[in-house]
Amino acid sequence: MVSPFVYISPMAARTILLRAAFACVLILASLCALAAPNAKEPAPRFNATTTTGEKFTNASIKGKVVLLEFWTTWCGFCADEAAFVDKIGHELAGKGLILLAINVGESKKTVKKYLEQHPRNCKLVMMEDTNLAAMYQANVYPIYVVIDRDGNIAGTQRGAGGEDALRRLIARAGLESESDAGSDSN
């Protein structure tokens, strides 16, 4: 009687399993690569009022790229990055960038006193004048969120990363800097 089973050596079995596993990895990687570009998540509905009274909502930012910066006065990294954040905001404003610097969890008096010593050149929002801090779970600082012209989240960065990292994050929304010259200044 002939056995219906075929003997496969352990080495051949290992080779077959490795090839099958490799094929599975390639298929999964391909599926992930195809899914990523369509995985843009719409920005949550929000309202924000700056300290000068300007109002922003999802509807009012359509067609613009928005950089949300969540910061505090006691955050050393926030202080270190403030100058180039403001510089980028000013540089790209003509290309459609809106920079909203949202102070999280501090009184207007504390922020005002801090800004007397460390002035900012951007649109400032206090936490009580927006629902953004809760939406983006602002509990590590700084946090940067970029919303593209279609109202989708183009990218998020939790923690300091330097000027080049911030420019790359903004570029994910299709807003390139004129030149990266001087971007290593901080």
Side-chain angles (χ1 to χ4, degrees):
M1 180 161 152
V2 177
S3 170
F5 299 104
V6 176
Y7 174 76
I8 298 176
S9 71
M11 185 64 85
R14 188 175 314 149
T15 301
I16 291 170
L17 285 174
L18 285 174
R19 286 183 181 171
F22 184 68
C24 288
V25 168
L26 287 177
I27 290 169
L28 286 173
S30 298
L31 289 174
C32 289
L34 291 174
N38 298 326
K40 286 195 173 181
E41 178 182 338
R45 294 183 56 80
F46 76 93
N47 294 300
T49 304
T50 67
T51 54
T52 61
E54 287 180 272
K55 295 184 183 300
F56 293 92
T57 64
N58 298 72
S60 72
I61 65 166
K62 276 285 193 193
K64 303 282 188 182
V65 173
V66 179
L67 171 61
L68 304 174
E69 173 199 18
F70 297 93
W71 67 284
T72 66
T73 61
W74 51 262
C75 169
F77 293 114
C78 300
D80 292 344
E81 295 201 345
F84 71 73
V85 172
D86 287 357
K87 178 178 87 173
I88 291 170
H90 180 71
E91 172 190 322
L92 297 177
K95 290 184 168 187
L97 180 70
I98 298 171
L99 166 59
L100 297 177
I102 299 115
N103 178 271
V104 181
E106 296 179 293
S107 70
K108 288 183 180 185
K109 181 179 176 184
T110 299
V111 173
K112 182 180 177 186
K113 186 175 179 181
Y114 175 84
L115 292 172
E116 289 170 1
Q117 300 297 314
H118 309 92
R120 295 290 309 264
N121 183 23
C122 61
K123 299 176 187 318
L124 295 167
V125 178
M126 299 299 295
M127 191 169 102
E128 64 259 19
D129 297 324
T130 187
N131 55 352
L132 286 165
M135 290 179 176
Y136 290 101
Q137 300 172 353
N139 53 17
V140 174
Y141 309 101
I143 296 173
Y144 302 104
V145 177
V146 176
I147 301 170
D148 69 17
R149 295 179 193 280
D150 296 323
N152 296 314
I153 298 171
T156 303
Q157 176 183 312
R158 296 178 79 77
E163 185 171 346
D164 288 338
L166 186 56
R167 287 182 184 277
R168 284 191 302 272
L169 183 67
I170 294 168
R172 291 176 65 181
L175 196 58
E176 301 279 337
S177 300
E178 294 267 332
S179 152
D180 286 336
S183 63
D184 291 329
S185 61
N186 285 343

